[in-house]
Amino acid sequence: MTRRARRRKAAGAPQTYAEKDEREPVLTYIARRILYSIPVLILSTFLVFVFVSYAGNPVATLRGNPRISQNTIHLVELQNHLNDNVIVRYGYWVRDVFTHKLGNSLITLQPIWPDITRTLGHTAQVIIISETLAIVLGVIIGIYSAIRQYSVFDYIATSFSFLGFAMPTFWLALLLQILFVDIYLKWNIRIFYTAGLNSPGQGTWSIDRLQHIALPVITLCIVSLALYSRYMRASMLDVINTDYVRTARAKGLSEWHVIMRHVFRNALIPIVTIAALNIGGLLSGVIITETVFSLDGIGFYFVQRLQSADLYAVMAYLVVTAVIIIVFNLIADVLYGYLDPRIRYD
Amino acid sequence: MHRSVWILAGVGAAVMLFAASATATTKAAGSARGATLAAAPFAQSWADVPKTAAARKAKSVLVFGAEQDVAGFNILDANENALWASITGVEPTIRGIYIIDNKGDYHLDLGSSVVATKTSLTITIRPDANWYWGGKKLPVTNKDLVYTWQQQIDPKNQVAGNTGYINIGSYKLKGTKTVTFFWNTTCPAGTEAAGTCATGPFADYRDLFSGAAGVMPSAALAGLDFNTYWADCVCGNDGKPISDGPFYLSNYTKGQGETLKANPFWYGAKPALKEVDFKIITDTNSEIQAMRGGEVDAIYPSPQTALSELKGQTGLVYSSIPGFTQEHWDINVGDPGNPLLRQAWMRQAIAMGMDRHSLIQALYGQIAPGLPPLNNLEYEIGTNAIPQFAKWSFAPKKALALLKAHCSGGPSVPTRNNTSYWTCGGAKASFNFYTTAGNQRRQTSAAIFAQQLGAIGIQLNVNFEPANPNFFGTRLPAHNFDLAEYAWSGGPDPSGFDSIYECGQGQNYKQYCNKQVDALIHAGDSELNATTRTADYEKAAAIMANDVAVIPLYSPPNILVHKSAVQGMQDSNNPTQEGPTWNIEQWHW
């Protein structure tokens, strides 16, 4: 609601048509998007359930051990409803999602939810730090590249952006590990650790914890940094050449005022939405990073459970990540409309 | 500018709060019903672990890199029967009547005497064996043995293996330390076929209540469900750690690691280390860097070529020995396999056309030089591993001579990239080979052997498919293959291989049948005299080698790397399921 609309409301004046339009479409839009998401979620979980069911069988691994009795194999089949058809098994899973918070692991029989919250928290910590760094640095680099277009800095930043896009994540992760181990071996200085989470007793944000997650953060940050710096540069260049910016300059405003007050503010709008979309996408990209650095995150959890054919745990991961991606996509769309009044919700 | 910045800040703060709260409140879920783990999380314990090797040495602490997290510590449960659960949580804390050393020899440990006869098995527990239960001292009694047996035979429990335990029908207690178990003389109808009962003495009695499984604490586990206890601790029904070994599991946090602390009530030599921490590092490359960088003091990695980086590095000791896993080829001699494979000369020709040494060199030459091929189907390593299969070592000219005597149309000499294949009695010497997909070793194996067999005129049609459910779930049980490569998990005692080699047994996927072998295996299974027993199994192995029932390839090596400053680890590389922590009490700086 604008300041003018708030003053009118405080004075008891009736809402204008424009003010009413400002409120109702957003809520309707959000509600409609959520409703559309439900069948998508159901269909995607069903398809994934079917694929994962046929891709893995908890009993098959047991058969590889000649010491496992047939009785045990039979018990496992009964417990996992492996003798029922896939639709019936999907029904059991849906029931467990609502009655047992995503159910129990088919392998360990332990609740899945504590594992999900634990690993999601670790992953969120890494992603948030890397995204924050990437956004801040990317915006700064993008602004300066746009202001100093075709300068040496611009060319260097562009080259590093392309390098960041092209570099495979796992290769960069391994390289960083070797680099910092060699630094330790040569100078006996421990800058960063190469594996594990190891939160210290003092709390989640201590130096030791940051030393452990620094390399995964750097790995994830570099690709996002390349993305944001390029988008910011392009967005800045779009806005810098508009009429109202020319007008602002003509009015005699300082260059700093023009850039930060008019150009930057409007150029930031696409970045906000891209960041919201990127966070959802990072959830899948983080699998490789967590595997290389042995981080107890949700991506690594998913890989471990998939290898064990632990169907319920795999489905739990997929449901959680699907919901997160849907939410962040919705946030991106709503934010975009909110920040840019020219956008109307349909 | 204000609005967008505030929105960004608000979203960021909300997510950060969530992340921080989720991470900060991480705690291990208690596996005992109604009880939560009383020990502090690994994180808090880890905060006190010195960060450098020198500092760890000063405090008698050792950090061991664990390559896998555990699904649970109840390794009697089929779903939790994993090596790392045994190594990190059970071996140092739950002892068995016997312990198996690094050479595969059995030694009395928790038991002071064991007497096996044709009718009974009498076990006496050593008088100084006690449980450490959350600081309390309780004697290990014969009731613990009875409890362990009862859990193994309970049909509701998903036990990893009840072989031998189902031979026991009743028991008699004597005092608090001795129990006599009586072998079944008969079984109720249908129970033998169902695998819930067996008659007669179980000759491999040393593996009962022993090895990595051990004796369970009956009082501490009272009221708990076998299928769910010890999911994240080795503890009693009150959540407090329990142990009769040199260490107790003071805490475990999923995905991060566990801490073992010295058990003051341990009956053996007092451990030189006060604490051993296992840090979970699942990626082998990360393990290597952690070892190089001094983040851990020892690792027990799965064999990969990258480990050669650690060989010869100053300050490290590198050890590799063959294990008990049998990587092999099954040869299907029944339907619907190729009828040519039912001919002994064809199987012999295939065996002699495969250079197993060259495969081993390609796979493990850099990390386990000198690793020999597997040449005995009952005993993988040790003094009993007589190389009966060595007679079928690589001899392509002999293989060609055999094929020439029975077939036509093939090459006259071993020829690289040969395309002329033998036709034998109207059937082409072309076989469908299957193995698991996504396994680099087996891809190399298939490529090498396809080329070598092709050179002598045998065509190999290579197929890779997912282990689950295709390969192990449908193809093998349906005998729908000609040749198949996979591995069996073995051990120092060959009992347990019955279902692989006996006529008509469930895991005899190759449909091999030799009544003489059956008789010898049965005799060995019930022979209590160790010498006679070994002789029975060796005769069976010799016949199977002669028949070329399978083609044994190799046993993947077990590798242990540790800092040279750590003493007492020279014998720790134990290829049995005891793992490297079998003599953890001897480790010291």
Side-chain angles (χ1 to χ4, degrees):
Chain A
M1 190 180 277
T2 62
R3 268 182 280 184
R4 189 181 172 194
R6 279 198 289 271
R7 279 202 296 271
R8 283 174 51 79
K9 185 183 177 187
Q15 280 185 310
T16 63
Y17 281 119
E19 285 163 3
K20 280 186 193 165
D21 281 342
E22 188 184 318
R23 196 176 52 196
E24 286 174 356
V26 177
L27 293 174
T28 311
Y29 177 73
I30 291 172
R32 195 164 57 233
R33 282 288 298 269
I34 290 172
L35 283 173
Y36 286 161
S37 301
I38 293 172
V40 169
L41 202 58
I42 292 172
L43 182 65
S44 57
T45 54
F46 178 73
L47 285 174
V48 170
F49 188 93
V50 169
F51 292 149
V52 176
S53 295
Y54 285 119
N57 183 346
V59 167
T61 309
L62 297 179
R63 290 189 200 278
N65 186 337
R67 290 178 165 82
I68 303 284
S69 71
Q70 295 301 310
N71 183 60
T72 295
I73 292 174
H74 179 63
L75 274 177
V76 172
E77 284 176 341
L78 275 178
Q79 169 200 304
N80 296 343
H81 312 289
L82 293 179
N83 297 324
D84 295 324
N85 66 53
V86 71
I87 294 174
V88 171
R89 288 166 62 197
Y90 179 71
Y92 280 119
W93 176 76
V94 172
R95 180 199 68 183
D96 286 341
V97 165
F98 290 105
T99 58
H100 292 101
K101 271 189 180 178
L102 298 174
N104 290 353
S105 162
L106 296 184
I107 304 295
T108 65
L109 305 179
Q110 297 299 310
I112 291 172
W113 185 245
D115 287 338
I116 293 288
T117 53
R118 184 190 82 244
T119 54
L120 194 58
H122 295 154
T123 300
Q125 186 178 37
V126 172
I127 286 179
I128 287 164
I129 294 175
S130 70
E131 278 300 279
T132 305
L133 275 175
I135 290 171
V136 168
L137 292 174
V139 163
I140 293 170
I141 291 171
I143 291 173
Y144 199 74
S145 286
I147 295 171
R148 297 282 181 264
Q149 195 181 11
Y150 305 130
S151 65
V152 171
F153 179 86
D154 186 27
Y155 285 128
I156 293 173
T158 303
S159 304
F160 274 108
S161 295
F162 291 150
L163 198 63
F165 277 128
M167 207 180 298
T169 315
F170 72 89
W171 179 82
L172 176 63
L174 291 171
L175 204 63
L176 287 172
Q177 282 184 321
I178 294 170
L179 173 66
F180 284 94
V181 165
D182 285 346
I183 288 173
Y184 172 77
L185 288 174
K186 188 157 187 181
W187 288 297
N188 206 27
I189 302 169
R190 174 86 65 208
I191 304 175
F192 300 129
Y193 289 91
T194 60
L197 214 51
N198 291 347
S199 53
Q202 285 77 21
T204 312
W205 301 98
S206 73
I207 300 293
D208 183 73
R209 177 60 171 261
L210 293 176
Q211 276 182 295
H212 276 90
I213 63 173
L215 293 186
V217 161
I218 292 171
T219 305
L220 290 173
C221 180
I222 283 180
V223 178
S224 296
L225 174 62
L227 178 77
Y228 295 131
S229 63
R230 298 312 296 166
Y231 267 105
M232 191 67 201
R233 179 183 181 274
S235 187
M236 286 284 291
L237 289 172
D238 277 344
V239 177
I240 266 178
N241 296 318
T242 52
D243 291 340
Y244 62 87
V245 173
R246 198 176 301 119
T247 305
R249 283 201 178 105
K251 281 185 174 180
L253 293 173
S254 68
E255 190 62 17
W256 171 263
H257 193 94
V258 168
I259 296 295
M260 297 313 291
R261 182 89 176 95
H262 295 283
V263 179
F264 169 66
R265 183 183 174 185
N266 291 299
L268 198 59
I269 294 172
I271 299 298
V272 171
T273 53
I274 288 165
L277 291 170
N278 197 37
I279 287 176
L282 270 178
L283 275 176
S284 52
V286 84
I287 289 174
I288 293 174
T289 307
E290 287 178 354
T291 302
V292 172
F293 288 106
S294 298
L295 295 184
D296 182 35
I298 199 162
F300 183 60
Y301 174 78
F302 164 69
V303 169
Q304 298 267 289
R305 297 295 96 214
L306 188 63
Q307 285 173 345
S308 313
D310 192 347
L311 181 57
Y312 274 28
V314 169
M315 292 302 297
Y317 165 84
L318 288 162
V319 165
V320 168
T321 49
V323 167
I324 290 173
I325 289 171
I326 288 171
V327 165
F328 274 95
N329 281 355
L330 185 59
I331 290 172
D333 288 344
V334 169
L335 269 179
Y336 198 72
Y338 190 72
L339 292 173
D340 188 349
R342 295 170 296 180
I343 302 295
R344 281 289 167 261
Y345 301 108
D346 298 315
Chain B
M1 179 169 174
H2 293 279
R3 197 165 54 180
S4 50
V5 170
W6 280 117
I7 288 167
L8 266 176
V11 169
V15 182
M16 277 190 199
L17 271 172
F18 165 73
S21 64
T23 319
T25 57
T26 296
K27 57 184 175 188
S31 60
R33 265 203 212 107
T36 54
L37 189 65
F42 177 75
Q44 288 178 322
S45 156
W46 184 248
D48 297 328
V49 174
K51 297 296 184 283
T52 64
R56 289 197 286 271
K57 180 176 177 178
K59 283 199 169 185
S60 290
V61 174
L62 185 136
V63 177
F64 200 111
E67 201 175 62
Q68 286 178 27
D69 200 355
V70 300
F73 291 100
N74 181 10
I75 61 173
L76 298 184
D77 185 321
N79 292 313
E80 299 173 28
N81 184 242
L83 178 64
W84 279 99
S86 170
I87 290 173
T88 60
V90 182
E91 182 61 31
T93 64
I94 303 293
R95 305 302 276 196
I97 299 300
Y98 285 90
I99 192 167
I100 311 171
D101 68 17
N102 56 317
K103 293 185 171 37
D105 295 326
Y106 290 76
H107 305 275
L108 279 170
D109 184 17
L110 184 63
S112 60
S113 83
V114 176
V115 176
T117 68
K118 290 212 178 294
T119 56
S120 66
L121 175 70
T122 301
I123 301 173
T124 302
I125 297 168
R126 56 189 297 157
D128 54 351
N130 293 293
W131 294 109
Y132 168 97
W133 185 7
K136 292 183 299 190
K137 189 176 183 179
L138 291 167
V140 180
T141 69
N142 45 18
K143 287 183 180 168
D144 298 324
L145 283 163
V146 172
Y147 172 84
T148 305
W149 165 64
Q150 288 170 335
Q151 295 300 307
Q152 290 279 21
I153 62 168
D154 189 335
K156 295 191 307 296
N157 293 343
Q158 295 176 16
V159 291
N162 59 6
T163 308
Y165 295 99
I166 55 175
N167 292 56
I168 298 171
S170 59
Y171 64 91
K172 183 179 172 185
L173 301 175
K174 182 181 174 186
T176 58
K177 293 289 191 180
T178 303
V179 58
T180 299
F181 292 103
F182 298 97
W183 307 118
N184 284 317
T185 50
T186 57
C187 279
T191 53
E192 278 191 274
T196 54
C197 181
T199 57
F202 182 64
D204 185 24
Y205 59 86
R206 294 177 304 178
D207 275 323
L208 297 178
F209 312 107
S210 292
V215 176
M216 297 288 136
S218 56
L221 296 176
L224 299 182
D225 179 8
F226 175 91
N227 295 320
T228 57
Y229 71 58
W230 288 5
D232 47 25
C233 65
V234 179
C235 54
N237 48 22
D238 59 355
K240 293 187 178 159
I242 187 151
S243 166
D244 63 350
F247 290 86
Y248 64 88
L249 184 65
S250 75
N251 61 67
Y252 162 70
T253 302
K254 259 196 186 311
Q256 294 188 42
E258 45 218 86
T259 299
L260 299 176
K261 290 201 185 296
N263 177 6
F265 306 147
W266 158 244
Y267 51 79
K270 188 179 169 190
L273 293 172
K274 289 184 187 154
E275 182 177 309
V276 177
D277 296 277
F278 290 92
K279 178 178 177 180
I280 295 172
I281 305 175
T282 52
D283 180 66
T284 303
N285 286 311
S286 296
E287 265 188 305
I288 293 168
Q289 299 311 320
M291 194 71 217
R292 290 181 64 226
E295 292 177 44
V296 297
D297 303 311
I299 56 173
Y300 190 60
S302 48
Q304 290 193 30
T305 309
L307 287 167
S308 57
E309 202 177 327
L310 296 175
K311 279 190 69 182
Q313 181 167 326
T314 314
L316 296 183
V317 174
Y318 180 100
S319 153
S320 77
I321 59 171
F324 281 106
T325 303
Q326 289 190 8
E327 186 76 13
H328 69 282
W329 276 23
D330 261 3
I331 304 177
N332 189 5
V333 295
D335 288 325
N338 191 319
L340 278 178
L341 292 173
R342 289 164 216 179
Q343 308 301 325
W345 51 263
M346 176 55 80
R347 298 195 299 273
Q348 291 162 7
I350 291 173
M352 288 192 290
M354 293 163 62
D355 186 358
R356 296 175 294 154
H357 277 284
S358 71
L359 171 67
I360 293 168
Q361 182 61 27
L363 294 177
Y364 300 116
Q366 292 182 54
I367 59 172
L371 184 72
L374 191 59
N375 278 319
N376 189 302
L377 297 179
E378 294 283 9
Y379 295 97
E380 293 92 345
I381 60 174
T383 48
N384 294 329
I386 298 169
Q388 284 120 352
F389 203 85
K391 69 170 94 168
W392 307 121
S393 291
F394 186 53
K397 289 182 180 164
K398 281 188 187 171
L400 266 179
L402 268 178
L403 290 164
K404 223 178 265 185
H406 296 91
C407 313
S408 61
S412 53
V413 293
T415 310
R416 197 178 172 81
N417 298 324
N418 167 59
T419 53
S420 311
Y421 300 110
W422 297 101
T423 302
C424 317
K428 193 175 172 191
S430 174
F431 304 108
N432 293 320
F433 170 85
Y434 293 89
T435 189
T436 56
N439 185 312
Q440 188 60 47
R441 286 187 287 113
R442 289 176 185 157
Q443 285 176 4
T444 305
S445 167
I448 289 177
F449 289 142
Q451 190 272 321
Q452 289 175 350
L453 290 173
I456 59 167
I458 296 175
Q459 187 179 34
L460 205 64
N461 305 313
V462 175
N463 301 278
F464 300 101
E465 55 186 27
N468 307 322
N470 305 53
F471 188 76
F472 288 111
T474 51
R475 184 162 303 282
L476 290 181
H479 316 293
N480 191 8
F481 65 95
D482 293 330
L483 301 160
E485 180 178 337
Y486 59 102
W488 288 119
S489 303
D493 193 287
S495 74
F497 282 164
D498 303 8
S499 65
I500 299 174
Y501 296 119
E502 286 186 6
C503 299
Q505 287 297 301
Q507 285 162 320
N508 185 354
Y509 302 129
K510 56 201 168 297
Q511 305 181 88
Y512 171 73
C513 184
N514 185 311
K515 296 291 183 192
Q516 204 179 352
V517 166
D518 281 13
L520 284 165
I521 288 176
H522 282 144
D525 284 350
S526 56
E527 176 57 60
L528 294 172
N529 181 293
T531 308
T532 312
R533 186 155 180 268
T534 301
D536 288 335
Y537 285 124
E538 292 286 14
K539 282 182 200 159
I543 296 172
M544 288 190 286
N546 213 45
D547 289 346
V548 194
V550 299
I551 300 177
L553 297 180
Y554 56 84
S555 288
N558 278 54
I559 295 172
L560 176 69
V561 185
H562 64 88
K563 286 202 168 68
S564 52
V566 179
Q567 307 298 315
M569 272 188 149
Q570 60 274 16
D571 295 328
S572 290
N573 197 354
N574 188 328
T576 69
Q577 203 173 15
E578 307 266 13
T581 52
W582 75 281
N583 65 344
I584 191 173
E585 66 274 11
Q586 296 176 22
W587 299 354
H588 62 279
W589 287 99

